[in-house]
Amino acid sequence: MIRVSAIQQLCNMPQAQAYQHSAELIFTASNNGADLVVLPELHSGAYFPQREDKQFFNLAQSIPGDFTKHFASVAKRAGVVLVSSMFEKHNNKYFNTAVVFDSDGTIAGIYRKTHIPEDPGFYEKFYFANGDGQIKPITTSLGKLGVLVCWDQWFPETARTMAARGANMLIYPTAIGTIPEDNDNGAFLDAWITIQRSHSIANALPVISVNRVGLEEDLLSTVKSIDFWGHSFITSAMGELLAQADETPQIIYADIKLDNTLKTRRMWPFYRDLRPSLYSLPRSICD
Amino acid sequence: MIRVSAIQQLCNMPQAQAYQHSAELIFTASNNGADLVVLPELHSGAYFPQREDKQFFNLAQSIPGDFTKHFASVAKRAGVVLVSSMFEKHNNKYFNTAVVFDSDGTIAGIYRKTHIPEDPGFYEKFYFANGDGQIKPITTSLGKLGVLVCWDQWFPETARTMAARGANMLIYPTAIGTIPEDNDNGAFLDAWITIQRSHSIANALPVISVNRVGLEEDLLSTVKSIDFWGHSFITSAMGELLAQADETPQIIYADIKLDNTLKTRRMWPFYRDLRPSLYSLPRSICD
């Protein structure tokens, strides 16, 4: 049994304050028995992709660096496996990168966001190159973590690839919300939950999806503000909602058993019947 | 604008009676303005895979045959595009086959179920060979229909393949329900709806899922009965439920615009960002 937790936090604050705020929440989660703690996407300050501005490239850090030094220390002191998210500079490229720390403070692995969105107010293609690595789980003392990031959550292929490569759970640090012109009556939020639950169902894996929360204004942005809608959640290996946040800052928890995946795959034996030779996603449609 | 309909019907009756019952419901749907009518899986009688019994192979028919003759005539007289489902004998193999008739009574195409389930009470691997064709849409006067069958609905790959090959909608004739020993508090039904809505969301396509309904007893079966739970539904191109049945016999309708797919793919530009070269589903895991 593993207790997992999702820290749905306010992020719109100076970096030093955000480092401290996340650290305090990680210690709180640890004190509440969490073995695994997941932070939202790019949690160390305002969501800078609200606008395209070259100065924000100064926020990027290398690995190792101040960011990894800080959160390695927090993970070790809290005694938790920690999934964090940062703006990474690597050689001449910049990535949207999740960094996983084991509970001894070592870096268990990193994952560079595979799919990069680009929408008014979410100008990520300006900042981030496409992830350049394999889609594969990160091995930790708690098992193999299928860490993906935000926009990846809309692609069943990323979940399947992680699962086929042995992930024990799927984890999505996220930054999603509405801009003032949005008027979708909640259809987008509902779709966001639905598609991630479907990855849980198709692969018999728990899903931990952790969103930012709160209104972030940027008067120089074309959209002027984004209201990050929270609603982080954790599913069972059958896609059931074990815990779900509302639209306020909070930490949610769930106790999960990794061997439920084996049991669920015997009950729902989709893997027995996969026929990869018949599936086609022509590379020509996007490469 | 196309009016689509799903006929959630009782099927547990002699074949001649089932033929007549489906025909009456198709005419009703047509009278209510339906352009496209979808029947549930294996609608021409009791769900015989409740047990393994060689005598049931006598139910299989060739194409063309009595089944196609009957439903071609009904489609033509009702003036609808019709998605039907049958037990097909083809050379020395037997398939679980969807047959699509255009509104002039011609056979627009067939689809042989790709993934065959096998569970107590659902002994389909005894009867049906794996579908041997490509997963590709069937062209009709109403557009390209992405016709799949039941168990296929649990595989995001089949939906993606249909979509990548130009399907305008996804259609799932289905036979799903509970056996007396099931005690899942509705988790299975919820998962069934969730994963199919996810195909709608991932691909920006309407989904029409049509289930059998009603208790079918078979005292020679190991499970003794299956309660087909109905709950057929139709989604928008954003995965929203436009119509949903309860657990009683009924016809549901929805008006859909095929150009909503284009609009939705501009709003949710997942296809822009697909990276097929990174997705992996090793053939070794099942072939």
Side-chain angles (χ1 to χ4, degrees):
Chain A
M1 186 83 87
I2 296 173
R3 176 162 289 189
V4 303
S5 66
I7 294 189
Q8 177 174 296
Q9 66 167 89
L10 298 168
C11 305
N12 189 13
M13 57 190 79
Q15 180 181 285
Q17 189 181 337
Y19 278 14
Q20 184 57 30
H21 185 51
S22 293
E24 288 167 6
L25 294 166
I26 293 163
F27 288 118
T28 299
S30 173
N31 288 337
N32 287 327
D35 303 301
L36 172 67
V37 177
V38 184
L39 296 170
E41 187 181 13
L42 301 171
H43 48 80
S44 296
Y47 180 74
F48 58 87
Q50 248 196 78
R51 58 182 154 109
E52 300 190 356
D53 190 330
K54 289 189 290 295
Q55 68 164 319
F56 292 141
F57 283 100
N58 292 325
L59 296 170
Q61 296 189 24
S62 297
I63 298 175
D66 286 348
F67 177 95
T68 56
K69 185 176 172 189
H70 172 73
F71 285 101
S73 166
V74 174
K76 184 175 181 178
R77 285 182 288 146
V80 298
V81 173
L82 175 65
V83 180
S84 67
S85 169
M86 66 176 289
F87 185 16
E88 182 200 4
K89 181 179 189 309
H90 178 68
N91 298 331
N92 289 303
K93 284 190 173 184
Y94 297 81
F95 296 100
N96 185 327
T97 302
V99 183
V100 178
F101 302 93
D102 217 325
S103 52
D104 62 0
T106 57
I107 295 177
I110 71 168
Y111 167 79
R112 293 175 177 145
K113 189 172 179 176
T114 296
H115 305 91
I116 307 298
E118 178 76 13
D119 253 323
F122 297 83
Y123 298 104
E124 295 201 15
K125 287 191 192 292
F126 178 72
Y127 296 102
F128 310 125
N130 288 338
D132 56 355
Q134 270 203 322
I135 298 168
K136 63 182 181 188
I138 293 171
T139 300
T140 71
S141 57
L142 295 177
K144 295 184 176 185
L145 307 188
V147 177
L148 295 158
V149 177
C150 200
W151 193 238
D152 295 329
Q153 65 211 172
W154 298 96
F155 300 84
E157 292 87 353
T158 53
R160 182 71 94 198
T161 301
M162 278 293 186
R165 291 186 171 143
N168 297 121
M169 62 188 83
L170 299 171
I171 297 174
Y172 297 97
T174 298
I176 196 168
T178 52
I179 60 175
E181 71 178 37
D182 282 343
N183 183 21
D184 71 343
N185 293 313
F188 201 6
L189 169 60
D190 188 44
W192 178 75
I193 295 169
T194 300
I195 198 149
Q196 292 178 89
R197 288 185 57 214
S198 83
H199 306 328
S200 175
I201 294 163
N203 298 290
L205 292 177
V207 166
I208 307 170
S209 183
V210 188
N211 194 14
R212 300 165 78 96
V213 69
L215 186 72
E216 299 193 21
E217 292 194 316
D218 179 349
L219 297 181
L220 297 179
S221 156
T222 51
V223 297
K224 302 292 191 296
S225 70
I226 301 175
D227 191 9
F228 292 100
W229 65 41
H231 281 93
S232 303
F233 62 90
I234 302 169
T235 77
S236 73
M238 294 171 62
E240 300 158 299
L241 289 172
L242 298 177
Q244 182 162 34
D246 60 16
E247 67 288 355
T248 62
Q250 62 201 274
I251 307 175
I252 59 172
Y253 302 87
D255 295 320
I256 61 178
K257 288 183 182 172
L258 295 188
D259 64 359
N260 279 344
T261 291
L262 183 67
K263 289 179 188 170
T264 302
R265 286 181 183 168
R266 289 175 179 178
M267 185 183 68
W268 291 349
F270 310 139
Y271 272 72
R272 178 191 63 197
D273 295 329
L274 282 162
R275 300 186 65 194
S277 62
L278 293 181
Y279 308 144
S280 173
L281 183 55
R283 295 188 181 197
S284 60
I285 72 173
C286 47
D287 276 0
Chain B
M1 186 85 88
I2 295 173
R3 175 161 289 187
V4 303
S5 66
I7 294 189
Q8 177 174 296
Q9 66 167 89
L10 298 168
C11 305
N12 189 13
M13 58 190 79
Q15 179 180 286
Q17 191 181 336
Y19 279 15
Q20 185 57 30
H21 185 51
S22 294
E24 288 166 6
L25 294 167
I26 293 164
F27 288 118
T28 298
S30 173
N31 288 337
N32 287 326
D35 303 300
L36 172 67
V37 177
V38 185
L39 296 169
E41 187 181 14
L42 300 171
H43 47 80
S44 296
Y47 180 73
F48 58 87
Q50 252 199 69
R51 59 183 154 108
E52 300 190 355
D53 190 330
K54 288 188 291 295
Q55 68 164 318
F56 292 141
F57 283 100
N58 292 325
L59 295 170
Q61 296 189 25
S62 297
I63 298 175
D66 286 349
F67 177 94
T68 56
K69 186 177 172 187
H70 172 72
F71 285 101
S73 166
V74 175
K76 183 176 181 179
R77 284 183 288 145
V80 298
V81 173
L82 175 65
V83 179
S84 67
S85 169
M86 66 175 289
F87 185 16
E88 182 200 4
K89 181 179 188 310
H90 178 68
N91 299 330
N92 288 304
K93 284 190 172 184
Y94 298 82
F95 296 100
N96 185 327
T97 301
V99 183
V100 179
F101 302 93
D102 216 325
S103 51
D104 62 359
T106 57
I107 295 178
I110 70 168
Y111 167 78
R112 294 175 176 144
K113 188 172 180 176
T114 297
H115 305 91
I116 307 298
E118 178 76 13
D119 253 321
F122 296 83
Y123 299 104
E124 294 200 16
K125 287 191 192 293
F126 178 72
Y127 296 102
F128 310 125
N130 288 338
D132 57 354
Q134 269 203 322
I135 298 168
K136 62 181 182 188
I138 293 171
T139 300
T140 72
S141 57
L142 295 177
K144 294 184 176 186
L145 308 188
V147 176
L148 296 158
V149 177
C150 200
W151 194 238
D152 295 329
Q153 64 212 173
W154 298 97
F155 300 84
E157 291 86 353
T158 53
R160 182 71 94 198
T161 301
M162 278 294 186
R165 291 188 171 141
N168 296 122
M169 61 188 83
L170 300 171
I171 297 174
Y172 297 97
T174 298
I176 196 168
T178 53
I179 60 175
E181 70 180 37
D182 281 344
N183 183 20
D184 72 342
N185 293 314
F188 200 7
L189 169 59
D190 187 46
W192 177 76
I193 295 169
T194 299
I195 198 150
Q196 292 178 89
R197 287 185 59 215
S198 83
H199 307 328
S200 175
I201 294 163
N203 298 291
L205 292 177
V207 166
I208 306 169
S209 183
V210 188
N211 193 14
R212 299 165 78 95
V213 68
L215 186 72
E216 299 193 21
E217 293 195 314
D218 179 348
L219 297 180
L220 298 178
S221 155
T222 51
V223 298
K224 301 291 191 295
S225 70
I226 301 175
D227 191 7
F228 292 99
W229 66 40
H231 281 91
S232 303
F233 63 89
I234 301 169
T235 76
S236 74
M238 293 172 61
E240 300 158 300
L241 289 172
L242 298 178
Q244 182 162 36
D246 61 15
E247 67 288 354
T248 63
Q250 63 201 273
I251 306 176
I252 59 172
Y253 303 87
D255 295 320
I256 62 178
K257 287 183 182 172
L258 295 188
D259 63 0
N260 280 343
T261 291
L262 183 67
K263 290 180 188 170
T264 302
R265 286 182 182 168
R266 289 176 180 180
M267 185 183 67
W268 291 348
F270 311 139
Y271 272 72
R272 178 192 62 198
D273 295 330
L274 282 162
R275 300 186 64 194
S277 62
L278 293 181
Y279 309 145
S280 173
L281 182 55
R283 294 189 180 198
S284 59
I285 72 173
C286 46
D287 278 358

